[in-house]
Amino acid sequence: MGQFKANQLVDRLETAAKARQAALARFRDRPAADDPAVLARQSARRAIVQAREDRAEARERARRAAEAQREAEALAEQERQIAELARQAAEKAERQAALAAEQKAARDARFAARKARARR
């Protein structure tokens, strides 16, 4: 069997302590909130966020405008179809009226011819 190595535990504890010290040093070396570089980064981030929001709003406005345009076009197409159906119905009514008039004239002519034959 191998020999128990107590140094492994000590080494791990020392490594962990050094890591904590390094993290603490990084935290202490961090610039203050009122540092000009920090303020510049924050303002740059705010500008990026604002630009992103502006682009999103512009896309939303464009989407709404396109949707309204599509709805207007659909409504105009629907009105055009309704007008076309009304025109076709009016033409059909005119054709039926003309046919009825022709049929009446033909019937009247037959009746007049029959009466004329009866009078002779």
Side-chain angles (χ1 to χ4, degrees), residues 94-107:
E94 286 179 24
R95 283 193 308 269
Q96 287 177 344
L99 180 64
E102 282 180 28
Q103 289 173 344
K104 184 177 184 324
R107 189 175 55 243

Side-chain angles (χ1 to χ4, degrees), residues 54-81:
D54 291 344
R55 287 190 307 269
E57 288 175 13
R59 280 192 306 270
E60 181 64 21
R61 282 193 304 271
R63 185 191 62 77
R64 278 193 238 124
E67 185 177 319
Q69 178 67 25
R70 282 192 303 272
E71 288 175 3
E73 289 172 357
L75 184 60
E77 178 63 21
Q78 189 177 25
E79 289 175 356
R80 187 195 64 74
Q81 289 175 353

Side-chain angles (χ1 to χ4, degrees), residues 8-106:
Q8 286 181 344
L9 178 61
V10 173
D11 289 342
R12 285 194 308 246
L13 290 175
E14 286 177 5
T15 303
K18 286 179 186 176
R20 279 194 300 274
Q21 290 298 323
L24 186 59
R26 280 194 312 272
F27 180 75
R28 286 185 185 143
D29 291 341
R30 193 176 60 174
D34 60 349
D35 188 70
V38 172
L39 294 176
R41 279 195 311 269
Q42 286 176 347
S43 65
R45 285 182 191 137
R46 278 191 219 108
I48 290 170
V49 168
Q50 184 62 40
R52 187 179 300 135
E53 289 174 356
D54 291 344
R55 287 190 307 269
E57 288 175 13
R59 280 192 306 270
E60 181 64 21
R61 282 193 304 271
R63 185 191 62 77
R64 278 193 238 124
E67 185 177 319
Q69 178 67 25
R70 282 192 303 272
E71 288 175 3
E73 289 172 357
L75 184 60
E77 178 63 21
Q78 189 177 25
E79 289 175 356
R80 187 195 64 74
Q81 289 175 353
I82 290 171
E84 179 65 22
L85 290 174
R87 183 189 63 78
Q88 289 175 355
E91 286 178 359
K92 184 177 179 181
E94 286 179 24
R95 283 193 308 269
Q96 287 177 344
L99 180 64
E102 282 180 28
Q103 289 173 344
K104 184 177 184 324

